Amino acid sequence: MLLFGATSAFAQEAEIIDLVEEALKSSSSREISKHLHNKVEIKLDGERNEYSKNQAEVVLKQFFQDNTAESCEFVHQGNNNAGGIIYAIGSYQTASVSYRVVVRAKKFSKEFKVYRLEFTKER
């Protein structure tokens, strides 16, 4: 049973990261909003704000309209078992700009939800 629980938790962690990566690849604010916590912090090239889930979807929709993905790939994933936090770091590439993207999620009511997204323009 313990092994099944650990395997199940790992599957949940991997699943949310994969789903968020796919939503970013398709520049879909609607799809990514399915995985957001009720309050989410978004950092867009240095400017950090906290939004409700609905506000975050609008902010991301505008960002994706201005910065449609040509590709998105997470190159590193990890977790902080003590804090129950998982994260992924990668690259979000548009036609003219590359962003470093960081996604952080943790378990809320037995389900992983994204509570922070960061897009930092690479110089």
Side-chain angles (χ1 to χ4, degrees), residues 9-72:
F10 178 75
Q12 280 184 330
E13 291 176 18
E15 180 181 15
I16 190 168
I17 296 300
D18 290 345
L19 292 170
V20 169
E21 184 177 31
E22 288 304 312
L24 290 171
K25 284 179 182 177
S26 63
S27 299
S28 176
S29 59
R30 178 175 290 154
E31 284 303 309
I32 204 165
S33 73
K34 293 177 182 178
H35 309 291
L36 298 179
H37 184 255
N38 294 334
K39 292 283 184 189
V40 61
E41 185 178 298
I42 298 177
K43 179 181 174 186
L44 297 175
D45 207 23
E47 189 174 322
R48 184 182 307 250
N49 291 296
E50 187 172 288
Y51 301 98
S52 71
K53 184 176 179 175
N54 292 337
Q55 291 171 321
E57 183 176 357
V58 172
V59 168
L60 291 170
K61 181 177 182 175
Q62 183 62 52
F63 176 78
F64 292 147
Q65 285 175 348
D66 296 341
N67 300 281
T68 303
E70 288 204 343
S71 67
C72 179

